[in-house]
Amino acid sequence: MGVGHNPAESNNGLPIQAWHKSVRTLADPEDKIRVRRGDGAVIAEGELAVVIGKRSTELTYENAREHILGYTIANDVTNVDQALIDERLFQAKAGEKYTPLGPWIETTIGDPDDLAITVTLNGEAKVQSGTFNLPSSVVDCLIYVTRWVTLDAGDVVMTGAPGTSLAVRPGDSVGISINGIGTLANSVI
């Protein structure tokens, strides 16, 4: 699942919003991301991803953390021009290998709402932010998603990009590092 946030200052009155990502978009660490030609600009989005450990439905603040197996890194690749004409984000986020995950699942993260994220392009740090800049917590995301759909062990919830997006082109190498987890690296073709 992908999560989008609506910060309070937007004043649009909407809650967290989520969308389903097909398992067909998954990619391994170091896989090549094949951008879609002719469909506009493409961005990489560095995000914390939560891996669910057991069946989860209608989670609460009291029990949500008990349902988390661990955390990993996600690159939520997006055709941003398609997002302008596809409010459900299907066209924008459904490309082949548009969801790299990894490099592994870390089970001993202290506070998932206080993790630094660095995005590098061709070996140079370009964006630095962290989960502390998201308008909603990890638990808020899980509560929202499981209000509408039951998650099972192995399901993944991407928690959103806290200003960790940058444009990519074929030939680029993207690295997303999250403190306490490691680095997810992929090239763009």
Side-chain angles (χ1 to χ4, degrees):
M1 302 294 296
V3 169
H5 299 268
N6 292 297
E9 63 270 12
S10 72
N11 208 19
N12 63 11
L14 296 174
I16 296 168
Q17 294 176 303
W19 58 88
H20 183 264
K21 290 218 43 164
S22 169
V23 297
R24 306 279 186 274
T25 69
L26 291 177
D28 291 326
E30 301 194 22
D31 274 356
K32 293 175 178 21
I33 301 165
R34 181 180 304 277
V35 297
R36 299 179 56 88
R37 291 184 181 191
D39 288 328
V42 176
I43 62 171
E45 297 182 358
E47 303 187 18
L48 176 68
V50 180
V51 181
I52 301 301
K54 61 183 177 180
R55 185 172 268 279
S56 304
T57 190
E58 297 184 14
L59 296 181
T60 65
Y61 287 104
E62 293 74 31
N63 71 5
R65 290 186 189 267
E66 298 168 18
H67 292 258
I68 298 172
L69 171 66
Y71 304 88
T72 194
I73 302 169
N75 182 350
D76 187 15
V77 179
T78 306
N79 281 91
V80 290
D81 293 334
Q82 293 301 306
L84 299 173
I85 59 172
D86 172 25
E87 64 185 35
R88 303 290 185 256
L89 301 177
F90 175 73
Q91 293 165 208
K93 296 181 178 282
E96 179 183 345
K97 300 196 184 227
Y98 267 34
T99 315
L101 294 175
W104 50 73
I105 300 169
E106 180 57 56
T107 59
T108 58
I109 294 292
D111 182 359
D113 297 315
D114 191 29
L115 299 174
I117 302 173
T118 301
V119 182
T120 62
L121 184 65
N122 303 320
E124 183 181 340
K126 294 288 189 180
V127 179
Q128 295 181 323
S129 184
T131 56
F132 43 81
N133 284 325
L134 288 170
S136 307
S137 71
V138 166
V139 168
D140 288 331
C141 294
L142 296 179
I143 289 170
Y144 173 77
V145 169
T146 62
R147 176 178 177 212
W148 298 102
V149 66
T150 297
L151 300 175
D152 276 315
D155 285 341
V156 175
V157 177
M158 298 182 303
T159 60
T164 51
S165 305
L166 58 82
V168 296
R169 296 183 314 208
D172 286 339
S173 295
V174 179
I176 300 167
S177 300
I178 298 182
N179 286 3
I181 299 176
T183 300
L184 171 65
N186 298 93
S187 58
V188 181
I189 61 171

